[in-house]
Amino acid sequence: MLFHLLYPLHTTYSYFNVFRYITFRAIYAAITALVICFVIGPWLIRKLQELQIGQTIREDGPNSHLTKKGTPTMGGILIIFAVTISTLLWANLTVGYIWLTVMVMLGFGLIGFLDDYRKFTQQNSRGVPGKVRLAAEVAIALFVSTILFLKPGFSTTVTVPFFKTVLPDLGWGYVLLATFIIVGAANAVNLTDGLDGLAIGPAITCFMTYLLFAYFAGNTKIASYLQVPYVAGTGELAIFCGAVVGAGIGFLWYNAYPAQVFMGDVGALSLGGSLGTLAVLTKQEILLAIVGGIFVLETASVIFQVGWFKISNGKRIFRMAPLHHHFELKGWAEPKVIVRFWIISILFALVAISTLKLR
Ligand code: 57M
């Protein structure tokens, strides 16, 4: 809204010209979201405590987690609120991709909210039945992917990292791939969210990376120079990414070890769903597996653990899956696991950015 209100004034006052620049607005979107988290965070945490929306803890987990019982959850509401307000303030709202991404964030956030709410009212860790939750996620992702497929000019080719000439055109199969990416990303972030700051740290590096890719994909000159697909309008998504980075850092302020609040499924699903949508919109679909390498490793650890458990009649590869539990049970202190996973996520982001040149 600030863009729409203030940029037109540049004809009279030239300094309002600055509102035209995506870089300027992305930075201020981050600052706005961060400040919103600082201002509202303490109030929200108090409210969640008063309402006794505290975490129920599974008793089969690492013992260190039993002390976390009662930590307020659903802190993801703060992230969603800050991102929505900041995006509405700073983005060019005539760009449909902005609405699509915000819609996915809110839709997945709603599914997560209902799940958290059910866990809280039933005082157990079951929540909404898995199949119902998955069906709702698929419905939203399918809807968004179909809109894109029907949009004239939206390419159904897939960008393969490291191979600039390999651009398979999936046709309608692209709808299935996009749906898989969005739903997969949401659940991968959700699985990772098991230690203080463990999900939000890599989420910040992922959204920072996609901020760059959105900016590049939306600029004809840079896109052609870097030989990445040009998608008109995606530059504005850099503002959404900036808002998530700011909100993520603001949330981390309270979620850092020892956490005062957890993001809940409302936070994890909305972050993951919108991250998957960004990968699709910027036409850097497969790259998400590198950018979000931590989320992929965590998910793979669960798939292999469960698979091997079934094949081998009860044997395990890891002491416990997802992967972060394995290191905890090996005796690593929680903050050590968290910070080391952050470091690896930075490494993944750097490798992902290097694909701009390595091909
Ligand atoms: C979410 N969430 C936490 C919090 C957070 C298929 C299976 C592997 C699924 C997996 C699972 O349920 N994962 C989903 C993991 C939970 O956190 C809440 O959930 C929200 C995110 N969805 O925001 O509201 C707990 O995580 C801890 N936590 C923190 N700090 C944070 O900032 O410490 C969360 C956020 C919180 C808190 O303790 O209560 C969770 O883990 O439940 N299941 C598992 O992860 C289980 N693994 C398992 O069963 N492994 C078996 C299988 C694969 C064969 C094995 O390896 O043998 C473990 N989960 C737990 N305990 N809690 C088992 C032990």
Side-chain angles (χ1 to χ4, degrees):
M1 273 171 251
L2 288 180
F3 171 75
H4 297 284
L5 288 174
L6 300 180
Y7 177 57
L9 301 180
H10 77 279
T11 46
T12 325
Y13 307 102
S14 61
Y15 44 83
F16 281 116
N17 228 341
V18 76
F19 283 90
R20 195 179 58 154
Y21 298 109
I22 286 175
T23 40
F24 169 79
R25 287 185 285 122
I27 290 171
Y28 275 87
I31 293 176
T32 307
L34 181 57
V35 171
I36 291 177
C37 287
F38 280 166
V39 173
I40 299 189
W43 173 84
L44 182 80
I45 294 171
R46 258 199 322 276
K47 270 277 161 261
L48 292 171
Q49 265 161 349
E50 275 165 29
L51 296 169
Q52 294 189 323
I53 304 194
Q55 185 69 46
T56 48
I57 306 283
R58 291 171 52 144
E59 277 163 16
D60 52 353
N63 286 340
S64 57
H65 284 250
L66 297 175
T67 55
K68 293 170 184 261
K69 192 170 185 318
T71 306
T73 183
M74 292 205 209
I77 295 172
L78 182 66
I79 302 176
I80 294 181
F81 179 75
V83 172
T84 308
I85 297 293
S86 176
T87 305
L88 291 180
L89 281 178
W90 293 101
N92 175 351
L93 301 176
T94 59
V95 174
Y97 294 150
I98 286 285
W99 292 105
L100 220 51
T101 315
V102 169
M103 198 199 83
V104 172
M105 180 185 72
L106 295 177
F108 275 71
L110 180 66
I111 299 171
F113 177 85
L114 295 174
D115 200 20
D116 288 331
Y117 187 74
R118 222 175 128 115
K119 283 180 195 159
F120 157 67
T121 49
Q122 299 184 345
Q123 283 299 305
N124 61 37
S125 55
R126 279 195 293 277
V128 174
K131 280 184 189 152
V132 177
R133 206 180 79 175
L134 189 65
E137 291 169 7
V138 170
I140 296 177
L142 208 52
F143 175 70
V144 169
S145 312
T146 310
I147 290 185
L148 289 176
F149 179 67
L150 297 176
K151 185 178 181 303
F154 193 85
S155 162
T156 48
T157 57
V158 179
T159 315
V160 182
F162 302 112
F163 298 94
K164 73 175 172 210
T165 49
V166 183
L167 287 161
D169 190 341
L170 300 189
W172 65 265
Y174 191 86
V175 174
L176 299 184
L177 178 75
T179 304
F180 172 75
I181 290 173
I182 297 171
V183 174
N187 286 288
V189 174
N190 199 26
L191 277 179
T192 307
D193 189 27
L195 296 180
D196 300 351
L198 188 69
I200 198 64
I204 292 169
T205 57
C206 285
F207 279 93
M208 269 187 183
T209 311
Y210 271 103
L211 188 158
L212 288 181
F213 278 93
Y215 184 69
F216 297 158
N219 185 303
T220 346
K221 280 193 194 138
I222 302 178
S224 103
Y225 172 68
L226 292 173
Q227 296 184 313
V228 291
Y230 167 67
V231 192
T234 45
E236 285 298 317
L237 291 171
I239 285 125
F240 176 85
C241 293
V244 180
V245 170
I249 297 172
F251 174 74
L252 182 58
W253 185 270
Y254 306 105
N255 183 230
Y257 180 85
Q260 292 163 264
V261 68
F262 299 153
M263 68 170 77
D265 288 14
V266 59
L269 291 181
S270 56
L271 282 172
S274 50
L275 182 63
T277 310
L278 283 168
V280 172
L281 292 176
T282 55
K283 306 286 319 150
Q284 294 295 342
E285 308 88 350
I286 310 292
L287 192 76
L288 182 58
I290 302 175
V291 182
I294 282 290
F295 302 128
V296 174
L297 288 179
E298 290 269 30
T299 309
S301 74
V302 172
I303 294 171
F304 288 127
Q305 179 89 327
V306 175
W308 187 242
F309 191 85
K310 283 187 183 153
I311 298 172
S312 67
N313 278 328
K315 291 213 180 78
R316 287 181 163 82
I317 304 174
F318 304 103
R319 295 188 184 191
M320 190 183 279
L323 198 56
H324 53 265
H325 286 317
H326 172 77
F327 292 110
E328 273 193 294
L329 292 177
K330 272 184 80 168
W332 292 20
E334 183 174 342
K336 190 164 221 121
V337 182
I338 299 160
V339 175
R340 286 189 170 168
F341 275 45
W342 287 353
I343 293 170
I344 307 285
S345 81
I346 294 170
L347 189 66
F348 275 124
L350 292 174
V351 173
I353 295 169
S354 79
T355 63
L356 287 167
K357 286 290 165 197
L358 284 181
R359 31 196 168 155

